[in-house]
Amino acid sequence: MRSKSDKKKSLVPRLRFPEFREAGAWEVKRLGGICNVLQGYGFPERLQGRQGGKYPFCKVSDITSAVNENGGHVVTAANYADEDIVAELRAKPIPVGA
């Protein structure tokens, strides 16, 4: 049976990448201080399924696919929207490359 101190030691991750071993302690920062944080928008089913339009509308499933298949780059979307839908949703398009 393992002792309590052994259990605590096992909770500390082993640094597998040598370039990070001497990197020092992590700094705690507010996320908004290092990037822009944007809200998501609800996308009603009645608006989904459009295969063309000015704006790709990326849902969580599109982002999940991008992470799993494209190294985190969203290259396609299952839904598209035009200006009228963007206005209805009060959405703010994200610039290409963001």
Side-chain angles (χ1 to χ4, degrees):
M1 185 170 279
R2 294 181 356 185
S3 70
K4 284 186 180 181
S5 64
D6 287 340
K7 287 181 184 178
K8 283 188 178 183
K9 286 179 187 176
S10 67
L11 296 176
V12 177
R14 183 177 59 88
L15 295 176
R16 296 176 290 162
F17 304 102
E19 62 270 24
F20 294 107
R21 289 190 181 135
E22 304 299 323
W26 285 47
E27 292 181 46
V28 175
K29 294 185 177 186
R30 290 192 165 279
L31 188 57
I34 59 173
C35 68
N36 293 324
V37 179
L38 304 171
Q39 71 180 23
Y41 299 95
F43 197 43
E45 277 192 48
R46 66 181 174 77
L47 299 175
Q48 295 181 28
R50 294 179 186 217
Q51 298 299 306
K54 183 173 181 179
Y55 303 105
F57 197 105
C58 298
K59 295 174 51 178
V60 172
S61 58
D62 298 311
I63 296 167
T64 300
S65 294
V67 169
N68 292 335
E69 300 166 12
N70 299 312
H73 298 280
V74 178
V75 295
T76 188
N79 299 283
Y80 286 80
D82 283 318
E83 294 289 345
D84 59 328
I85 293 174
V86 170
E88 179 182 337
L89 299 174
R90 296 185 187 141
K92 179 182 175 187
I94 298 172
V96 173

